[in-house]
Amino acid sequence: MRNGCKIYCFLASWERSTGFDDRRVPDWLELGVNWQGYRISTVPWVADVARAIGLLPVEDTLDGWISHLESLGLQEVTPVSCEDFYQDRLYC
């Protein structure tokens, strides 16, 4: 069964992610940085197209995304609630 347009949200350590080049973030990820480290969320409508044309060989699961983020050089990738992740944007 397909998850369909599910957004996944993560935090990762910017101190430990020395192999990660934040200038080369693929279009299917949104990246921000704050005092907690890297803030990453998936962009499902882009990821679905990239997956369909073979550019993104990632299973659309939490574990699949964590593995993908780690393969990009991110370390200490931790899933977080998207509600908490976007909380600062909800009241602006």
Side-chain angles (χ1 to χ4, degrees):
M1 182 163 129
R2 194 155 148 37
N3 292 331
C5 278
K6 177 150 175 64
I7 298 173
Y8 295 93
C9 301
F10 305 92
L11 295 176
S13 170
W14 59 267
E15 292 173 329
R16 296 205 180 261
S17 300
T18 56
F20 176 66
D21 183 356
D22 61 359
R23 296 168 296 183
R24 299 188 64 185
V25 175
D27 292 336
W28 50 81
L29 297 175
E30 181 180 310
L31 177 74
V33 180
N34 70 8
W35 63 274
Q36 295 173 306
Y38 287 116
R39 297 168 44 92
I40 306 110
S41 63
T42 60
V43 182
W45 45 92
V46 177
D48 286 348
V49 172
R51 194 176 292 107
I53 62 175
L55 294 176
L56 179 61
V58 173
E59 186 177 328
D60 194 21
T61 64
L62 188 60
D63 290 335
W65 280 109
I66 290 172
S67 293
H68 179 62
L69 296 173
E70 290 173 344
S71 76
L72 296 175
L74 291 160
Q75 299 295 312
E76 296 181 7
V77 177
T78 306
V80 295
S81 157
C82 288
E83 183 175 315
D84 293 339
F85 184 88
Y86 287 111
Q87 182 176 17
D88 60 337
R89 295 183 187 180
L90 295 177
Y91 302 106
C92 294

